[in-house]
Amino acid sequence: MFLRLIMTHQQDYVYLLKTMKLSTSMSSLLINQPKYVWLKELGLSEDNPGVYNGSWGGSGEVITSYCPANNEPIARVTQATLAEYEETVQKTKEAWKLWADIPAPKRGEIVRQIGDALRKKIKVLGSLVSLEMGKIYVEGVGEVQEYVDVCDYAVGLSRMIGGPILPSERPGHALIEQWNPVGLVGIITAFNFPVAVYGWNNAIALTCGNVCLWKGAPTTPLTSVAVTKIVAEVLEQNNLPGAICSMTCGGADIGTAMAKDERLLELGGNNAIIVTLYGPLHTKQAVEQYLAAIEQAKQQGGTVVCGGKVMDRPGNYVEPTIITGLPHDASIVHTETFVPILYVLKFKTEEEAFAWNNEVKQGLSSSIFTKDLGRVFRWLGPKGSDCGIVNVNIPTSGAEIGGAFGGEKHTGGGRESGSDSWKQYMRRSTCTINYSKDLPLAQGIKFE
């Protein structure tokens, strides 16, 4: 009897320790602190399902999202397994059968409601972007605003999609360019724009009659969950399948599956910017990359004239850094590091500067500052910048939704947003209709 009592007390003690450990773990999450109670306005909790295909789930790896400003845990998300990814693809494809039959203007109405729902949550969602990604609050709100703006654009587009009726060379014939949705669009987004890149793909793809499967970055899963909850609520209020806008949180396994999945039109997004007003770097690994880049620059002949240090404070803060003295073809100059380092290069001629701009593998955005009108148009011309975005007297970051966004060379070649971006999400058929009583061939060919 005595031995049994000791064992019982020991078990109770172990249980007590486990309870205390769990309680401590939960209380250490930012979402449970009074300062961050607003996170629950987005439907977030300590543990969040990372799969949505009409219903919420997920049984894969549990990951913790950390705030880069102080490296404290925010909340947890359960990622998708490969089996759950496959199940989600099937449910999303099934949802397309209904969505594709809805007239484009009616689809535009749903997108309008998504934009309105985002407007109502713009401040709190922008705050989440800032908290989880690390960019300053106004930029976080700006991301959500970009999604809202693209929704507005897509609503108008919903009544304008279509191809021309072309003149046929044959009498009694009509030539029509017909555009139809591609079906299921897979969207993989990077950590640095966890809302906007999904938004501009999602809004236009939906209007065109496609359904979407989204995998956000594994370091910003809470933003993915929160955005999906907003979109899902709109779909549910309209008695539409939630799988129209599905989501699978995950790492490289899910990303690889999507990239290799021939059932999806994969539209990845990535962007790098250098600014002097900024938040912390996104992860501890980014801080290590920052220090490694500075060391490589020094080894290759560069001189740090400003910055170059990690700030002595909580979080992933580093000093903006300027490095001079490097040759234009130094390997570090050609490397995209996603950290606030500016390499200053001296050139002698305009042609030399243009050539150095074009010799790197990346080709997203570029800018020149000049009052020389001739130089402006040479910069925009065939021997000027070979980037997808070519600016004059403005920075390289901050693109308007009215213009096509995207790069060249290793930065892709596709375009998102802009006047004809909808064509990426649709397939084109050239249709010839013979309403005459004859069967003439094109090019005047006759079989005799």
Side-chain angles (χ1 to χ4, degrees), residues 228-243:
T228 299
K229 283 181 176 290
I230 293 171
V231 175
E233 186 175 358
V234 172
L235 294 173
E236 291 165 6
Q237 289 172 348
N238 286 273
N239 298 315
L240 291 167

Side-chain angles (χ1 to χ4, degrees), residues 157-174:
L157 179 66
S158 70
R159 293 184 179 273
M160 298 172 64
I161 293 175
I165 298 177
L166 304 166
S168 173
E169 66 184 60
R170 290 170 283 183
H173 285 62

Side-chain angles (χ1 to χ4, degrees), residues 165-334:
I165 298 177
L166 304 166
S168 173
E169 66 184 60
R170 290 170 283 183
H173 285 62
L175 204 58
I176 301 172
E177 195 174 88
Q178 178 70 30
W179 291 83
N180 290 296
V182 293
L184 172 54
V185 173
I187 305 169
I188 301 175
T189 61
F191 72 88
N192 53 344
F193 284 93
V195 173
V197 174
Y198 172 67
W200 68 47
N201 281 289
N202 171 254
I204 298 176
L206 288 178
T207 296
C208 291
N210 302 290
V211 290
C212 299
L213 173 54
W214 180 24
K215 190 200 88 67
T219 52
T220 55
L222 296 175
T223 300
S224 298
V225 171
V227 169
T228 299
K229 283 181 176 290
I230 293 171
V231 175
E233 186 175 358
V234 172
L235 294 173
E236 291 165 6
Q237 289 172 348
N238 286 273
N239 298 315
L240 291 167
I244 289 171
C245 293
S246 296
M247 177 199 67
T248 51
C249 290
D253 56 342
I254 301 298
T256 300
M258 288 183 69
K260 293 182 177 180
D261 199 329
E262 295 183 357
R263 297 168 294 182
L264 281 70
L265 170 65
E266 186 271 324
L267 296 166
N270 209 340
N271 186 19
I273 58 174
I274 298 174
V275 296
T276 55
L277 177 65
Y278 67 102
L281 297 184
H282 186 52
T283 61
K284 293 180 180 178
Q285 290 76 15
V287 176
E288 295 171 2
Q289 291 171 358
Y290 166 84
L291 293 172
I294 291 173
E295 187 59 33
Q296 290 178 47
K298 290 178 180 178
Q299 293 174 2
Q300 294 171 30
T303 301
V304 177
V305 296
C306 178
K309 299 184 181 66
V310 176
M311 294 183 182
D312 184 17
R313 57 172 292 181
N316 306 320
Y317 290 91
V318 300
E319 296 177 343
T321 301
I322 298 176
I323 297 178
T324 62
L326 285 167
H328 67 91
D329 55 355
S331 62
I332 190 62
V333 174
H334 287 216

Side-chain angles (χ1 to χ4, degrees), residues 358-369:
N358 296 345
E359 70 182 2
V360 300
K361 294 179 179 179
Q362 301 82 15
L364 178 58
S365 186
S366 59
S367 184
I368 190 171
F369 287 79

Side-chain angles (χ1 to χ4, degrees), residues 57-74:
S59 59
E61 180 185 357
V62 177
I63 59 170
T64 301
S65 177
Y66 291 89
C67 171
N70 52 31
N71 283 320
E72 293 185 19
I74 307 170

